[in-house]
Amino acid sequence: SSDKWRGIGSTEPVQEVSATIGHVARALMLKQFSDEQRIRSDGDSGISNVKQLYDGNNAYDDGTYFGDGTAAIHDHAENLLVVGMGQFQAVLNGVEFTTRHNDYNLVMPSLDSSEYGATEEIEYPDVPDEVLNAGSVSSQIEEMQKWFKAFKDQDK
């Protein structure tokens, strides 16, 4: 019975100590993350944390700032008029804020209505004639890519 009191022959005390160490280690990691988060967000501006779907023990497993897209911006293939932005934390001029998951309709203020908050869909531009007249599909793709690059570089 004194052997039983000491836990000899039983793994239960080891499991309890192991679980306790795990809880303490998790609490320390969360405290460290919280402290670093506060330091990162003092006085400056920028994205300080993004909720991503990655998980693991290695530093590269963390999607904290950048994962599939900046601020977890993503498309919604099932709806052409919706763009999504994941949950994130940011600092603007030293003021920290947290968002929820945001999905936005691609709309603009109404040009015809004077009703408060009225919107209308954004009209897509026509495909440039240079692209349509480029010949084969692969040539049209190549020409359209040049148009996108020129837009990105603001090269008129």
Side-chain angles (χ1 to χ4, degrees), residues 45-61:
S45 295
I47 295 172
S48 58
N49 190 19
V50 177
K51 182 177 179 183
Q52 295 283 355
L53 301 176
Y54 303 106
D55 192 17
N57 296 326
N58 299 309
Y60 56 80
D61 289 326

Side-chain angles (χ1 to χ4, degrees), residues 47 49-55 60-76 83-88 101:
I47 295 172
N49 190 19
V50 177
K51 182 177 179 183
Q52 295 283 355
L53 301 176
Y54 303 106
D55 192 17
Y60 56 80
D61 289 326
D62 183 27
T64 304
Y65 309 102
F66 184 83
D68 291 334
T70 302
I73 294 173
H74 56 280
D75 70 345
H76 283 267
V83 64
M85 183 169 62
Q87 179 178 334
F88 70 95
H101 184 101

Side-chain angles (χ1 to χ4, degrees), residues 74-85 102-107 124:
H74 56 280
D75 70 345
H76 283 267
E78 75 281 4
N79 190 334
L80 292 175
L81 300 176
V82 175
V83 64
M85 183 169 62
N102 302 284
D103 288 331
Y104 298 99
N105 292 324
L106 291 176
V107 294
Y124 291 110

Side-chain angles (χ1 to χ4, degrees), residues 67-140:
D68 291 334
T70 302
I73 294 173
H74 56 280
D75 70 345
H76 283 267
E78 75 281 4
N79 190 334
L80 292 175
L81 300 176
V82 175
V83 64
M85 183 169 62
Q87 179 178 334
F88 70 95
Q89 290 176 301
V91 180
L92 291 177
N93 298 326
V95 178
E96 185 175 40
F97 65 94
T98 303
T99 71
R100 57 180 284 283
H101 184 101
N102 302 284
D103 288 331
Y104 298 99
N105 292 324
L106 291 176
V107 294
M108 65 181 191
S110 177
L111 300 174
D112 303 322
S113 174
S114 60
E115 179 184 343
Y116 179 76
T119 61
E120 59 188 59
E121 290 182 7
I122 296 173
E123 189 175 322
Y124 291 110
D126 293 330
V127 176
D129 289 335
E130 291 86 345
V131 173
L132 294 173
N133 298 329
S136 68
V137 171
S138 59
S139 297
Q140 290 178 357

